[in-house]
Amino acid sequence: MTPISQFGEFGLIRHLTRDLKSAQPSTLYAVGDDAAVLNHEGKRTLVTTDLLLEGIHFNLEYVPLRHLGYKSVAVNVSDICAMNGTPTQITVGLGVSARFGVEDLEEFYAGVRAACEHYNIDIVGGDTCASMNGLTIAITCLGVAEEKDIVYRNGAKVNDLICVTGNLGSAYLGLQLLERELQVFRATQHDNLGKATEHNESIHEKFEGREYLLERQLRPDARVDIIEALRKAGIKPTAMMDVSDGLSSELFHICTQSKVGCDIYEDKLPIDYQAAALAEEMNLNIVTCALNGGEDYELLFTCDIHDYEKLVPLDDVYIIGHVTAAEYESGKSDQPANLRLIPRNGDPMPLTAQGWNAFA
Amino acid sequence: MTPISQFGEFGLIRHLTRDLKSAQPSTLYAVGDDAAVLNHEGKRTLVTTDLLLEGIHFNLEYVPLRHLGYKSVAVNVSDICAMNGTPTQITVGLGVSARFGVEDLEEFYAGVRAACEHYNIDIVGGDTCASMNGLTIAITCLGVAEEKDIVYRNGAKVNDLICVTGNLGSAYLGLQLLERELQVFRATQHDNLGKATEHNESIHEKFEGREYLLERQLRPDARVDIIEALRKAGIKPTAMMDVSDGLSSELFHICTQSKVGCDIYEDKLPIDYQAAALAEEMNLNIVTCALNGGEDYELLFTCDIHDYEKLVPLDDVYIIGHVTAAEYESGKSDQPANLRLIPRNGDPMPLTAQGWNAFA
């Protein structure tokens, strides 16, 4: 392991950002000055930020640093997509404790750079410093959109269709799988998944047939493809979010901000067969996983019912319900009470936004 | 102490950002969606980011949370100033461990909001989450500038004047003072400076006559006033940086990127009398403090010698030397070798960029 002190802060930043080339014409000046200089002329600038902390958002016992770098970028890009925008630049803040070496940061940066290439975005700044404990990742993503194209959370209207992309619950089940195998992992004295699977065939076997779930958890992708497909199809969603905390939680945000209710149909929820099989094996309710599992980074959006014909031909887009008029309980005028799940059999049930309270 | 879990993540963000009003016309949509929406039309967007970690960048044993909030914003604003830009928006990422309560975060946010009011900038997003250890602060600041006004580090030319604002070394000496008194502080079982000085007259006395040094360390201000004054005077610096790591270190950045050398005159270095007196008392060399002490957040800039007449009337701007032609040692073509300090008496001495290697 090469100690980071060998480079020093400036040397390290130079080392990690050497040979960076800009892909975006809007990047006028990237790393190397007090601030980056961007030209978003004629378009709106979008900005979002995420903080990822070791022990809270990720566990390096089974998350390879390269995947973590990729995912850190993807989750921010996903937020720009959820505004119907195009991601353009990121800044990367890193706090690293003494247990990390230069090679570790190179791995992390390799993942960050792979994601930047995939999404066609530029690294334009950052801050790398020592930390007392663990790994801290702070990423800010900028994007652009035409004013008329921006989709907020508050535009859903009664009778709008409610759609999600991909499938739900897979990332959560991938996490359950990793957590279950963590004890076995620990015995192998590995420091990342790659090395562990290399040396331990029995673990490899346990993941066979579940690779998709692992990938959903370890290396999610933002749905820039859907944003492009919607644009080509001439559909502008009325409201949109990415599914990071779980479908129920995101529906609460959209319904609260749009002042509407919703009916979601259980049999319309898109679920992957690997996810269903693992839920069965682990005695988990797959519908609960689909409703409340986080980190899928799929898109949840509402759109006008007149767009139905344009929606149907789209790959990987599923209509799961529709928007209803809001009903409020007395004294709770800020939160609609009628967010409902319509089961295959039986009466409608209220959706509960479990979400994810890291402070609990 | 109100536990943060009582609010949950979304409740907490709502609580801390309630009643936020935007001051910038360029802020179209701030907190509350997947990303903020900004309109920097016709101007360039500047972006800078800083990560501040407990135990590395600040010690809560003597830094009040409100001051820390203010300083976190100021240091980012300072970077935008150093590009000759106008700060407009920030995002605030916070990781907080279980030892912090809602009241603590309110204190921190009060400081953040005070700084935003002072600099006329908007909080447009953020991320607040639990952390395993200590307090993590990730701030990204956006700003705007006309393309023609932007000042990089690489524009210094031979014979340019070298200027700094304010004075140097005061923040470093403020830190030394705080560190020296830390043992006494610890005995008082305080949790912030305000409470400690309230209850302990002897400490209060120790700081008497040194309030300025404490303020420079605990609550620095970015020199937006200088940026404005330069603009009014019709001066565009040829290169500029803010002094965060120490004058020598910043001179190295400017000289390396501009491919020039420099002569700095010891007797021209602006030094506050409180700083000089404390250095004397603590047996520290005040010139070393002025050259290598960090966190002053003053501006260092070079400008054309023809601007001399316009420079002289400016308040709080000091000419400390001039730019010379670069000389390189064989085999080291990336770093000019002739950055020199001209002492009051005696021969020129090479400047050394001690800077601040947090990894050492």
Side-chain angles (χ1 to χ4, degrees), chain B residues 117-164:
Chain B
E117 260 175 55
H118 180 68
Y119 297 117
N120 200 37
I121 59 182
D122 298 332
I123 301 172
V124 296
D127 193 13
T128 305
C129 56
S131 78
M132 297 293 282
N133 294 291
L135 182 63
T136 299
I137 306 164
I139 297 206
T140 296
C141 186
L142 298 171
V144 294
E146 300 282 351
E147 169 97 46
K148 66 174 173 47
D149 292 337
I150 299 173
V151 177
Y152 295 92
R153 295 175 179 178
N154 61 11
K157 311 177 312 296
V158 176
N159 292 330
D160 278 357
L161 301 169
I162 301 176
C163 308
V164 289

Coordinates of all heavy atoms in Angstrom, one line a residue, chain B residues 117-164:
Chain B
E117 N -27.1 35.3 4.2 CA -27.7 36.6 4.2 C -26.6 37.7 4.0 O -26.7 38.6 3.1 CB -28.3 37.0 5.6 CG -29.8 36.8 5.5 CD -30.4 37.0 6.9 OE1 -30.2 38.1 7.5 OE2 -31.1 36.1 7.4
H118 N -25.5 37.5 4.6 CA -24.3 38.4 4.5 C -23.8 38.5 3.0 O -23.6 39.5 2.5 CB -23.2 38.0 5.4 CG -22.0 38.9 5.3 ND1 -22.1 40.2 5.8 CD2 -20.8 38.7 4.9 CE1 -20.9 40.8 5.6 NE2 -20.1 39.9 5.0
Y119 N -23.7 37.3 2.4 CA -23.2 37.2 1.1 C -24.3 37.3 0.0 O -24.0 37.2 -1.2 CB -22.3 36.0 0.9 CG -21.1 35.9 1.8 CD1 -21.0 34.9 2.7 CD2 -20.1 36.9 1.7 CE1 -19.9 34.9 3.6 CE2 -19.0 36.9 2.5 CZ -18.9 35.9 3.5 OH -17.8 35.8 4.3
N120 N -25.5 37.3 0.4 CA -26.6 37.4 -0.5 C -26.7 36.2 -1.4 O -26.9 36.3 -2.6 CB -26.5 38.7 -1.3 CG -27.8 39.1 -2.0 OD1 -28.9 39.0 -1.4 ND2 -27.8 39.6 -3.2
I121 N -26.6 35.0 -0.8 CA -26.7 33.8 -1.6 C -27.8 32.9 -1.0 O -28.2 33.0 0.1 CB -25.3 33.0 -1.6 CG1 -24.9 32.6 -0.2 CG2 -24.3 33.8 -2.3 CD1 -23.6 31.9 -0.1
D122 N -28.2 31.9 -1.9 CA -29.3 31.1 -1.5 C -28.9 29.6 -1.2 O -28.0 29.1 -1.9 CB -30.3 31.0 -2.7 CG -30.9 32.4 -3.0 OD1 -31.0 33.2 -2.0 OD2 -31.3 32.6 -4.1
I123 N -29.5 29.0 -0.2 CA -29.4 27.6 0.0 C -30.3 26.9 -1.0 O -31.5 27.1 -0.9 CB -29.7 27.2 1.4 CG1 -28.8 27.9 2.4 CG2 -29.6 25.7 1.6 CD1 -29.3 27.8 3.9
V124 N -29.8 26.1 -1.9 CA -30.7 25.5 -2.9 C -30.8 24.0 -2.8 O -31.4 23.3 -3.7 CB -30.3 25.9 -4.3 CG1 -30.5 27.4 -4.5 CG2 -28.9 25.5 -4.7
G125 N -30.1 23.4 -1.9 CA -30.2 21.9 -1.8 C -29.3 21.4 -0.7 O -28.6 22.2 -0.1
G126 N -29.4 20.1 -0.5 CA -28.5 19.5 0.5 C -28.9 18.1 0.7 O -29.7 17.5 0.1
D127 N -28.2 17.6 1.7 CA -28.4 16.2 2.1 C -28.0 16.1 3.5 O -26.9 16.5 3.9 CB -27.4 15.3 1.2 CG -27.7 13.9 1.3 OD1 -28.8 13.5 1.8 OD2 -26.9 13.0 0.8
T128 N -28.9 15.6 4.4 CA -28.6 15.5 5.8 C -28.8 14.0 6.2 O -29.8 13.5 5.9 CB -29.5 16.4 6.6 OG1 -29.5 17.7 6.1 CG2 -29.2 16.4 8.1
C129 N -27.7 13.5 6.7 CA -27.8 12.1 7.1 C -27.0 11.7 8.3 O -26.3 12.6 8.8 CB -27.4 11.2 5.9 SG -25.7 11.6 5.3
A130 N -27.3 10.6 8.9 CA -26.6 10.1 10.1 C -25.1 9.8 9.7 O -24.9 9.4 8.5 CB -27.3 8.9 10.7
S131 N -24.2 9.9 10.6 CA -22.9 9.4 10.4 C -22.5 8.5 11.6 O -23.1 8.6 12.6 CB -21.9 10.6 10.3 OG -21.6 11.1 11.5
M132 N -21.4 7.7 11.4 CA -21.0 6.8 12.5 C -20.2 7.6 13.5 O -20.2 7.4 14.7 CB -20.1 5.7 11.9 CG -20.7 4.8 10.9 SD -22.0 3.8 11.7 CE -20.9 2.6 12.6
N133 N -19.4 8.6 12.9 CA -18.5 9.3 13.8 C -18.4 10.8 13.4 O -18.1 11.1 12.3 CB -17.0 8.8 13.6 CG -16.9 7.4 14.1 OD1 -17.0 7.1 15.3 ND2 -16.7 6.5 13.2
G134 N -18.7 11.7 14.4 CA -18.4 13.1 14.2 C -19.3 13.8 13.2 O -20.2 13.2 12.6
L135 N -18.9 15.0 12.9 CA -19.6 15.9 12.0 C -18.9 16.0 10.7 O -17.7 16.3 10.6 CB -19.7 17.3 12.7 CG -20.6 18.3 12.0 CD1 -22.0 17.9 11.8 CD2 -20.5 19.6 12.7
T136 N -19.6 15.8 9.6 CA -19.1 16.0 8.3 C -19.9 17.1 7.6 O -21.1 17.1 7.6 CB -19.3 14.7 7.5 OG1 -18.6 13.6 8.1 CG2 -18.8 14.8 6.0
I137 N -19.1 18.0 6.9 CA -19.8 19.1 6.2 C -19.3 19.2 4.8 O -18.1 19.3 4.6 CB -19.4 20.5 6.9 CG1 -19.8 20.4 8.4 CG2 -20.1 21.6 6.3 CD1 -19.2 21.5 9.2
A138 N -20.2 19.1 3.9 CA -19.8 19.2 2.4 C -20.6 20.3 1.8 O -21.8 20.2 1.7 CB -20.1 17.9 1.7
I139 N -19.9 21.4 1.4 CA -20.6 22.5 0.8 C -20.1 22.7 -0.6 O -18.9 22.7 -0.9 CB -20.4 23.8 1.7 CG1 -21.0 23.5 3.1 CG2 -21.0 25.0 1.0 CD1 -21.5 24.7 3.8
T140 N -21.1 22.9 -1.5 CA -20.7 23.3 -2.8 C -21.3 24.7 -3.1 O -22.4 25.0 -2.7 CB -21.3 22.3 -3.8 OG1 -20.7 21.0 -3.6 CG2 -21.1 22.7 -5.3
C141 N -20.5 25.6 -3.7 CA -20.9 26.9 -3.9 C -20.9 27.2 -5.4 O -20.0 26.9 -6.1 CB -20.0 27.9 -3.2 SG -20.6 29.6 -3.3
L142 N -22.0 27.8 -5.9 CA -22.1 28.2 -7.3 C -22.0 29.7 -7.4 O -22.3 30.4 -6.4 CB -23.4 27.7 -7.9 CG -23.6 26.2 -8.0 CD1 -25.0 25.9 -8.4 CD2 -22.6 25.6 -8.9
G143 N -21.5 30.2 -8.5 CA -21.4 31.6 -8.7 C -21.5 31.9 -10.1 O -21.6 31.0 -11.0
V144 N -21.5 33.2 -10.4 CA -21.6 33.6 -11.8 C -20.5 34.7 -12.1 O -20.0 35.4 -11.2 CB -22.9 34.2 -12.2 CG1 -24.0 33.2 -12.1 CG2 -23.3 35.4 -11.3
A145 N -20.1 34.7 -13.4 CA -19.2 35.8 -13.8 C -19.3 35.9 -15.3 O -19.7 35.0 -16.0 CB -17.7 35.4 -13.5
E146 N -19.1 37.2 -15.8 CA -19.0 37.4 -17.2 C -17.7 36.7 -17.7 O -16.7 36.7 -17.0 CB -18.9 38.8 -17.6 CG -20.1 39.7 -17.1 CD -21.3 39.6 -18.1 OE1 -21.1 38.9 -19.1 OE2 -22.3 40.1 -17.7
E147 N -17.8 36.0 -18.8 CA -16.6 35.3 -19.4 C -15.3 36.2 -19.3 O -14.3 35.8 -18.9 CB -16.9 34.9 -20.8 CG -15.7 34.4 -21.6 CD -15.6 32.9 -21.6 OE1 -16.6 32.2 -21.8 OE2 -14.5 32.4 -21.3
K148 N -15.5 37.5 -19.7 CA -14.3 38.4 -19.8 C -13.7 38.7 -18.4 O -12.6 39.2 -18.3 CB -14.7 39.6 -20.6 CG -15.7 40.5 -19.9 CD -15.9 41.8 -20.7 CE -17.1 42.6 -20.1 NZ -17.1 42.7 -18.6
D149 N -14.5 38.6 -17.4 CA -14.1 39.0 -16.0 C -13.3 37.9 -15.3 O -12.7 38.2 -14.2 CB -15.3 39.4 -15.2 CG -15.9 40.7 -15.7 OD1 -15.2 41.5 -16.4 OD2 -17.1 41.0 -15.5
I150 N -13.4 36.7 -15.7 CA -12.9 35.6 -14.9 C -11.4 35.6 -14.8 O -10.7 35.9 -15.8 CB -13.3 34.2 -15.5 CG1 -14.9 34.1 -15.5 CG2 -12.7 33.0 -14.7 CD1 -15.4 32.9 -16.2
V151 N -10.9 35.4 -13.6 CA -9.4 35.5 -13.4 C -9.0 34.1 -12.9 O -9.4 33.6 -11.9 CB -9.1 36.5 -12.3 CG1 -7.6 36.5 -12.0 CG2 -9.5 37.9 -12.7
Y152 N -8.0 33.5 -13.7 CA -7.5 32.2 -13.4 C -6.2 32.4 -12.6 O -5.7 33.5 -12.4 CB -7.3 31.4 -14.7 CG -8.5 31.1 -15.4 CD1 -9.0 31.9 -16.4 CD2 -9.3 29.9 -15.1 CE1 -10.2 31.6 -17.0 CE2 -10.4 29.6 -15.7 CZ -10.9 30.5 -16.7 OH -12.1 30.2 -17.3
R153 N -5.6 31.2 -12.3 CA -4.3 31.3 -11.6 C -3.1 31.4 -12.5 O -2.0 31.7 -12.1 CB -4.1 30.0 -10.8 CG -5.1 29.8 -9.7 CD -4.8 28.4 -9.0 NE -5.8 28.2 -7.9 CZ -5.9 27.1 -7.2 NH1 -5.1 26.1 -7.5 NH2 -6.7 27.0 -6.3
N154 N -3.4 31.3 -13.8 CA -2.3 31.1 -14.7 C -2.0 32.3 -15.6 O -1.2 32.3 -16.6 CB -2.6 29.9 -15.7 CG -3.8 30.1 -16.5 OD1 -4.4 31.2 -16.5 ND2 -4.3 29.1 -17.2
G155 N -2.4 33.5 -15.2 CA -2.3 34.7 -16.0 C -1.2 35.7 -15.6 O -1.1 36.7 -16.2
A156 N -0.5 35.4 -14.5 CA 0.5 36.3 -14.0 C 1.7 36.5 -15.1 O 2.1 35.5 -15.7 CB 1.1 35.9 -12.7
K157 N 2.1 37.8 -15.3 CA 3.1 38.1 -16.3 C 4.3 38.8 -15.6 O 4.1 39.4 -14.6 CB 2.6 39.0 -17.4 CG 1.3 38.6 -18.0 CD 0.8 39.7 -19.0 CE 0.9 41.1 -18.6 NZ 0.0 41.5 -17.4
V158 N 5.5 38.6 -16.2 CA 6.7 39.2 -15.7 C 6.4 40.7 -15.5 O 5.8 41.4 -16.3 CB 7.9 39.0 -16.6 CG1 9.1 39.7 -16.1 CG2 8.2 37.5 -16.7
N159 N 6.9 41.3 -14.3 CA 6.7 42.7 -13.9 C 5.4 43.0 -13.3 O 5.2 44.1 -12.8 CB 7.0 43.6 -15.0 CG 8.5 43.6 -15.4 OD1 9.3 43.3 -14.6 ND2 8.8 43.9 -16.7
D160 N 4.4 42.1 -13.3 CA 3.2 42.3 -12.6 C 3.4 42.6 -11.1 O 4.4 42.1 -10.6 CB 2.2 41.1 -12.7 CG 1.5 41.0 -14.0 OD1 1.6 41.9 -14.9 OD2 0.7 40.0 -14.2
L161 N 2.6 43.4 -10.6 CA 2.6 43.6 -9.1 C 1.9 42.5 -8.4 O 0.9 41.9 -8.9 CB 1.9 44.9 -8.8 CG 2.4 46.2 -9.4 CD1 1.5 47.4 -9.2 CD2 3.8 46.5 -8.9
I162 N 2.4 42.1 -7.2 CA 1.8 41.1 -6.4 C 1.2 41.7 -5.2 O 1.8 42.5 -4.5 CB 2.8 40.0 -6.0 CG1 3.5 39.4 -7.2 CG2 2.2 39.0 -5.1 CD1 4.6 38.4 -6.9
C163 N -0.1 41.5 -5.0 CA -0.9 42.1 -3.9 C -1.5 41.1 -3.0 O -1.9 40.0 -3.5 CB -1.9 43.1 -4.5 SG -1.4 44.2 -5.7
V164 N -1.7 41.5 -1.7 CA -2.6 40.7 -0.9 C -3.5 41.7 -0.1 O -3.2 42.9 0.0 CB -1.9 39.9 0.2 CG1 -1.2 38.7 -0.4 CG2 -0.9 40.7 1.1

